[in-house]
Amino acid sequence: MKLLSTKATCNSHGQDSSYFLGWQEYEKNPYDEVKNPKGIIQMGLAENQLSFDLLESWLAKNQDVAGFKRDGKSIFRELALFQDYHGLPSFKKALVDFMAEIRGNKVTFDPNHIVLTAGATSANETLMFCLADKGEAFLLPTPYYPGFDRDLKWRTGVEIVPIQCTSSNNFQITESALQQALEEAKNKNLRVKGVLVTNPSNPLGTTMSKTELNLLIDFIKDKNMHLISDEIYSGTVFTSPNFVSVMEILKERTDKDFLDANVAERVHIVYSLSKDLGLPGFRVGAIYSNNETVVAAATKMSSFGLVSSQTQYLLSAMLGDKKFTKNYLSENQKRLKKRQKMLVNGLQKANISCLKTNNAGLFCWVDMRNLLSSNTFEAEMDLWKKILYKVGLNISPGSSCHCTEPGWFRVCFANMSEDTLNLAMKRLKDFVSNSNGEECSSDNKRTRSTQASRSFTRKSISNWVFRLSSRDHREQEER
């Protein structure tokens, strides 16, 4: 008799991905300016640490809130006792107002349609439980966040079918790619329940165009499917084009009577404060849906991963301070733009380029195809291992993001100091320079050896030449 469940003993969590393996190697040998200056620099973690001083300044000025007080009196007991899993009304109102502010108040959100979850991970999984059964599928454009293999599939049993996007059009979604993914699902006897996208994209760091969003809505309308738009990076857009939420497209089309009401009920948003406010440890995520059945079911499921009342109370006051949120969003975007420029400039000095449409997020989609020994994913893994172990940088290989083209990497820039980023760029530049030098040296050796062999062929007896050429060939292989 088995003592453990199949789930406990299976290997479908995705933890063996190079995305997670890089983290494990970093944890064994983390860089520290003083204690471990030759350690691995973490550039595989999409964390926003650029604006903590703004958050800390607000806390210092609002000590009653930070101390869980109201009008100078402690409300600790009130917050510590049992709370309804629907969430604090004051926080839900503050959160939907903040979401509207990020979108330039072009759309509004009803707090009765929001479900609080313990981060975006929980939100995405909860939507899978609500929208699909085990063995059914969602379509995801590549490259996509490696954690989706865990978040969407592991406990739900839902399958992922990739929408193959390529660098030829900056990885934008096309109608032909959507149809091809649908055909692939049919060939695998999978019923497709919807499409999930991240906008802004993780790992591309790009925003979706209105054309792409309209294409997706037309697709799910025609195929009678759901659309999930994971918009947790919506407040990180630091340059044009501006962020366009799927809710804006829905509003435009509904106002023009282009959509039936039931289409809007099949569009759902995932949001979190982990990226825009840099608070992943607070575990604050949310589902927004116009589908009452989905909201009711997700609310019941949220009891398995609640946001603490203390966190809700604190953030309802912070997000309710409109002067603070306006200044924070503006200043944070300026800092992200400056830091992204630092990374791009540092990469350029190493003759490495990035996706030129990068305008959002906490990372760049970096093109290292020129550093590959061959156009294969094996060569990509070899390069990744060199950068991880020899250079001491943990970056995420494109294959871990299911990219169809070898040689792309996601490189994060907002989770470290400027000095650490400069050091990382210096390490990478030195690595590329040394690699090019080794290639040149190897080419010169091969050229000299070939010339010597030809000379011996002209001057020497054939058998003797044969033995010498064989020896030279072995020496070249050993080099």
Side-chain angles (χ1 to χ4, degrees):
M1 182 180 69
K2 292 199 309 180
L3 294 179
L4 298 176
S5 70
T6 302
K7 186 66 65 182
T9 55
C10 72
N11 190 32
S12 59
H13 183 272
Q15 201 72 28
D16 56 350
S17 162
S18 53
Y19 173 75
F20 292 108
L21 292 177
W23 282 25
Q24 293 174 18
E25 293 305 308
Y26 162 77
E27 289 168 0
K28 295 176 186 176
N29 183 27
Y31 167 79
D32 184 273
E33 183 179 3
V34 177
K35 297 178 181 178
N36 192 21
K38 294 185 179 180
I40 296 173
I41 296 174
Q42 174 64 289
M43 305 188 82
L45 178 60
E47 213 170 52
N48 184 6
Q49 299 183 20
L50 302 186
S51 298
F52 273 152
D53 61 310
L54 302 181
L55 302 175
E56 290 168 337
S57 176
W58 186 90
L59 290 172
K61 294 175 182 176
N62 294 270
Q63 294 187 11
D64 263 16
V65 176
F68 304 118
K69 295 179 181 179
R70 185 187 299 128
D71 299 326
K73 295 182 179 180
S74 174
I75 58 168
F76 176 77
R77 290 190 180 188
E78 176 185 329
L79 296 173
L81 296 176
F82 177 79
Q83 297 287 344
D84 188 336
Y85 57 64
H86 288 79
L88 299 182
S90 59
F91 176 58
K92 294 171 78 171
K93 177 65 167 60
L95 183 59
V96 296
D97 287 348
F98 184 63
M99 291 169 63
E101 183 179 7
I102 289 172
R103 291 154 181 79
N105 292 307
K106 295 176 182 177
V107 289
T108 57
F109 297 90
D110 184 344
N112 294 316
H113 290 180
I114 201 164
V115 180
L116 301 180
T117 63
T121 295
S122 177
N124 278 309
E125 185 188 54
T126 298
L127 276 175
M128 289 297 107
F129 276 122
C130 289
L131 305 180
D133 288 315
K134 182 178 180 179
E136 295 180 330
F138 262 74
L139 308 181
L140 270 68
T142 61
Y144 63 78
Y145 165 55
F148 281 148
D149 292 318
R150 168 201 63 199
D151 302 349
L152 308 183
K153 295 172 56 176
W154 187 47
R155 296 199 298 184
T156 66
V158 172
E159 298 295 331
I160 292 175
V161 177
I163 304 167
Q164 304 291 5
C165 303
T166 68
S167 62
S168 61
N169 68 343
N170 295 319
F171 299 96
Q172 292 185 31
I173 300 170
T174 62
E175 184 175 1
S176 60
L178 282 168
Q179 293 296 342
Q180 184 179 346
L182 193 58
E183 285 300 315
E184 182 184 342
K186 288 180 180 178
N187 292 336
K188 294 180 177 179
N189 294 318
L190 293 172
R191 183 186 179 193
V192 177
K193 299 301 292 289
V195 182
L196 186 150
V197 298
T198 56
N199 181 30
S201 168
N202 176 11
L204 298 177
T206 58
T207 49
M208 296 185 73
S209 66
K210 285 190 174 184
T211 301
E212 287 178 279
L213 292 168
N214 275 300
L215 172 64
L216 289 169
I217 290 176
D218 287 338
F219 183 78
I220 65 139
K221 177 184 177 183
D222 180 55
K223 306 299 181 185
N224 195 31
M225 293 178 182
H226 293 274
L227 173 61
I228 300 173
S229 182
D230 185 328
E231 300 183 356
I232 68 170
Y233 290 95
S234 54
T236 68
V237 181
F238 48 78
T239 190
S240 61
N242 294 328
F243 169 68
V244 179
S245 170
V246 69
M247 296 302 289
E248 294 178 44
I249 304 299
L250 278 179
K251 184 177 185 300
E252 288 177 3
R253 294 180 59 158
T254 302
D255 289 347
K256 295 177 181 178
D257 297 323
F258 288 167
L259 285 178
D260 297 329
N262 67 350
V263 176
E265 291 180 357
R266 288 188 271 118
V267 178
H268 321 277
I269 285 181
V270 167
Y271 185 60
S272 165
L273 296 180
S274 295
K275 310 303 180 180
D276 292 348
L277 282 187
L279 300 175
F282 277 40
R283 307 311 304 146
V284 179
I287 296 167
Y288 188 86
S289 175
N290 289 313
N291 190 312
E292 292 183 1
T293 303
V294 169
V295 171
T299 301
K300 295 170 187 173
M301 292 182 189
S302 71
S303 63
F304 296 99
L306 297 174
V307 182
S308 76
S309 299
Q310 293 87 342
T311 297
Q312 292 185 55
Y313 173 73
L314 173 64
L315 293 179
S316 65
M318 181 181 287
L319 298 182
D321 186 340
K322 297 305 176 187
K323 183 178 179 181
F324 167 76
T325 56
K326 181 180 180 181
N327 176 68
Y328 177 89
L329 288 171
S330 175
E331 182 61 26
N332 185 58
Q333 288 161 0
K334 289 177 183 176
R335 295 180 184 187
L336 287 172
K337 183 176 182 178
K338 177 184 176 184
R339 186 57 66 85
Q340 185 261 7
K341 187 176 180 180
M342 282 183 62
L343 175 63
V344 171
N345 290 342
L347 292 170
Q348 286 177 344
K349 291 177 181 178
N351 295 317
I352 298 172
S353 62
C354 303
L355 193 67
K356 289 182 171 55
T357 50
N358 175 220
N359 67 323
L362 311 175
F363 34 72
C364 288
W365 190 237
V366 178
D367 185 356
M368 295 190 184
R369 288 177 291 182
N370 62 313
L371 300 179
L372 297 182
S373 58
S374 63
N375 187 33
T376 63
F377 286 108
E378 288 78 12
E380 178 183 280
M381 291 307 296
D382 287 342
L383 177 60
W384 174 68
K385 290 175 183 176
K386 289 178 182 177
I387 293 174
L388 179 63
Y389 295 111
K390 294 184 178 180
V391 185
L393 305 179
N394 176 39
I395 60 178
S396 304
S399 54
S400 71
C401 303
H402 300 270
C403 185
T404 59
E405 303 170 18
W408 291 89
F409 293 80
R410 191 191 76 166
V411 181
C412 300
F413 57 75
N415 63 324
M416 66 194 76
S417 68
E418 289 189 5
D419 288 343
T420 302
L421 179 58
N422 285 329
L423 174 61
M425 292 301 95
K426 182 182 183 304
R427 287 184 181 183
L428 191 58
K429 183 176 182 294
D430 291 344
F431 166 71
V432 174
S433 297
N434 291 335
S435 296
N436 289 338
E438 289 174 3
E439 288 179 7
C440 291
S441 176
S442 179
D443 288 342
N444 289 336
K445 287 179 180 179
R446 282 193 290 269
T447 300
R448 289 195 299 270
S449 180
T450 302
Q451 291 172 344
S453 179
R454 288 173 180 169
S455 176
F456 283 130
T457 302
R458 288 193 300 267
K459 297 178 181 178
S460 307
I461 302 172
S462 60
N463 288 340
W464 183 80
V465 170
F466 174 77
R467 290 195 299 273
L468 181 62
S469 298
S470 298
R471 189 190 68 188
D472 284 349
H473 179 68
R474 288 195 302 274
E475 288 177 352
Q476 284 179 345
E477 288 182 335
E478 288 170 359
R479 294 189 190 110

